[in-house]
Amino acid sequence: MPLPRVSPVVQVVSLDAMNTLIKPRIPVYKLYTQFARFHNVIVDESALTAAFPSLFKSLSASSPCYGFNAEGPRSWWSSLIVNAFERAGSGPISPDVAAKISNELYDHYSLADAWELLDEEMPSVLSRLRLRGIALCVISNFDNRLKSILASMNLLSHFQMVVLSGELGIEKPDRRIFDTVLRHFSLRDTSTLLHIGDDLEKDFRAAKSIGARALLFDPRDKHAQSVSEHDRLRSFSQLSIY
């Protein structure tokens, strides 16, 4: 009688960043509106909230990965910010004012003060995982500011690798961004990688599709109907790895 197959143990845990590790300290649209008004640019916050996602999606399609190998992230974000403000009812903005607002916002989001931990348990959880010999990395559709942000929040030292779409020109759910991690840690069995993130398609299903393990970070039970409780985390204090 054949012996039952024993699942290999997790060797590497990868984490998404935005809305998994960290989140903006002040809601994005509220802060954008404040910065605009400081320069006497009147923006309707509700209109900005409505316009921003479609503009982000459109610019991501025409210039993927924050202008990778093209205009670069600062110019990419400047274009998005100015278009969003003009769409939100401010009308045309002079080039000088547009440059000031977009540069100030870009620089602000480079600093730790702009961000906060999404789960206060995170640092202690990361420390426990490292003590168990589990390697840690970040896989994020973020631009190259993330490393300095994590460093200023005393998080970067926990991770042996930070994989960013803005530095690779590849973004989740493309499996090649996960392959970068598999190669780096010499993981022959994809099930020894556990990926945790908040996006159903780009994190949970993308990791599952390559044979990795996955947990959906879902603190507000947004996906309770589509993902089993066993595969969701409300808090990192619930994380158990075998």
Side-chain angles (χ1 to χ4, degrees), residues 44 50 52 55 58 71 86 139 159 172 190 206 208 212 217 236:
D44 182 272
F52 194 90
L55 289 170
S58 176
E71 73 269 34
E86 293 183 345
I139 304 176
F159 301 106
K172 296 176 294 182
T190 56
K208 288 276 193 181
F217 184 60
F236 277 87

Side-chain angles (χ1 to χ4, degrees), residues 64-69 164-171 174 176-177:
C65 301
Y66 308 102
F68 178 78
N69 276 349
L164 302 176
S165 64
E167 292 186 340
L168 285 183
I170 305 166
E171 61 186 9
D174 191 321
R176 291 177 295 170
I177 201 166

Side-chain angles (χ1 to χ4, degrees), residues 19-220:
N19 293 326
T20 301
L21 272 174
I22 59 175
K23 66 176 181 178
R25 191 177 297 276
I26 298 173
V28 169
Y29 307 125
K30 185 177 293 297
L31 191 73
Y32 272 42
T33 302
Q34 291 173 1
F35 271 66
R37 287 177 178 165
F38 182 79
H39 290 280
N40 298 314
V41 174
I42 304 304
V43 175
D44 182 272
E45 188 176 329
S46 61
L48 181 65
T49 303
F52 194 90
S54 62
L55 289 170
F56 186 97
K57 184 176 181 180
S58 176
L59 188 56
S60 295
S62 63
S63 183
C65 301
Y66 308 102
F68 178 78
N69 276 349
E71 73 269 34
R74 185 179 288 272
S75 293
W76 191 96
W77 279 105
S78 177
S79 177
L80 177 63
I81 290 165
V82 173
N83 285 336
F85 284 165
E86 293 183 345
R87 181 80 65 86
S90 64
I93 304 172
S94 73
D96 287 348
V97 172
K100 286 179 181 178
I101 298 174
S102 59
N103 281 324
E104 287 175 4
L105 279 167
Y106 187 88
D107 291 340
H108 175 77
Y109 282 110
S110 303
L111 304 173
D113 287 348
W115 304 92
E116 64 184 8
L117 286 174
L118 207 120
D119 190 326
E120 294 297 329
E121 296 291 328
M122 180 61 70
S124 60
V125 170
L126 296 177
S127 294
R128 288 199 297 271
L129 292 174
R130 291 177 63 205
L131 286 173
R132 289 182 53 185
I134 295 173
L136 302 174
C137 69
V138 173
I139 304 176
S140 177
N141 290 353
F142 209 108
D143 61 56
N144 57 12
R145 290 173 293 176
L146 183 62
K147 291 176 183 177
S148 61
I149 292 166
L150 295 178
S152 61
M153 296 179 74
N154 297 316
L155 291 174
L156 187 63
S157 60
H158 289 288
F159 301 106
Q160 293 174 242
M161 185 182 196
V162 177
V163 182
L164 302 176
S165 64
E167 292 186 340
L168 285 183
I170 305 166
E171 61 186 9
K172 296 176 294 182
D174 191 321
R175 73 159 293 150
R176 291 177 295 170
I177 201 166
F178 293 96
D179 287 340
T180 301
V181 173
L182 297 174
R183 288 194 300 271
H184 179 85
F185 292 103
S186 301
L187 300 181
R188 295 186 178 181
D189 188 333
T190 56
S191 68
T192 59
L193 170 66
L194 167 64
H195 181 69
I196 304 172
D198 71 295
D199 191 287
L200 182 61
E201 297 297 331
K202 296 177 182 179
D203 291 306
F204 183 74
R205 288 177 177 163
K208 288 276 193 181
S209 72
I210 68 164
R213 304 183 197 191
L215 289 171
L216 185 68
F217 184 60
D218 190 23
R220 297 184 180 179

